[in-house]
Amino acid sequence: GTMTRRHCPGVSPQARVHPSATVDPTARVETGATIGPRAVIQAHAHVGRDARIGIATFVGAGAFVGAAAVIRPGCQIGEGAVIGTGSDIGSTTRVGSGARIAQGTTVDSLDHVAAHTQVNSTATRRFKRTAVPGVLHAAEKLLSMDHG
């Protein structure tokens, strides 16, 4: 409502902020951005044009969410993290402090991006795969045995 706006000079009048969301007065929310129910935007965080912050998502202090990025429900974006333009962060994902997600990257739901790591859009799949090298290695062995 209008009260939120009066206390938050950094929130664009063309942004949609749900009444149950909490936006720090020092945060910036640009034109066309949507802040969902129970979302929390901490001090000096920046939500870019047309970005969507999902239900109960936490955006830490000084974090930067690029234009048209989609942060799905229940995510935790650590302080100082950078979410690139047009990225899509799956629900309940945790992005560690200072992590950098390159523009246009899709991060799967329930993922955890460690603090201060970089995820490039081209490396998304490789990044995911590192979680189960043993399984993949076993599968490759089986495949090579078939042809042996």
Side-chain angles (χ1 to χ4, degrees):
T2 47
M3 262 182 73
T4 326
R5 302 272 152 65
R6 203 171 300 137
H7 295 304
C8 298
V11 175
S12 160
Q14 279 81 46
R16 292 195 301 285
V17 179
H18 193 272
S20 65
T22 306
V23 178
D24 187 275
T26 61
R28 284 204 51 191
V29 179
E30 292 194 29
T31 300
T34 305
I35 312 294
R38 303 193 315 281
V40 176
I41 312 295
Q42 287 209 311
H44 304 289
H46 184 114
V47 178
R49 284 180 85 96
D50 303 317
R52 301 215 311 272
I53 307 297
I55 298 167
T57 282
F58 175 90
V59 178
F64 182 92
V65 177
V70 177
I71 315 292
R72 295 187 186 279
C75 287
Q76 286 182 297
I77 308 300
E79 67 179 71
V82 176
I83 309 297
T85 304
S87 291
D88 187 334
I89 310 301
S91 50
T92 62
T93 293
R94 296 205 335 266
V95 175
S97 305
R100 299 175 71 88
I101 309 290
Q103 63 178 59
T105 305
T106 297
V107 177
D108 287 350
S109 298
L110 298 167
D111 210 336
H112 177 68
V113 179
H116 307 292
T117 49
Q118 293 212 23
V119 182
N120 305 322
S121 43
T122 50
T124 311
R125 214 170 261 130
R126 246 181 324 191
F127 165 79
K128 290 289 298 170
R129 205 180 278 167
T130 55
V132 285
V135 176
L136 280 167
H137 191 69
E140 280 164 12
K141 250 192 170 145
L142 278 169
L143 286 169
S144 56
M145 279 165 74
D146 282 348
H147 302 292

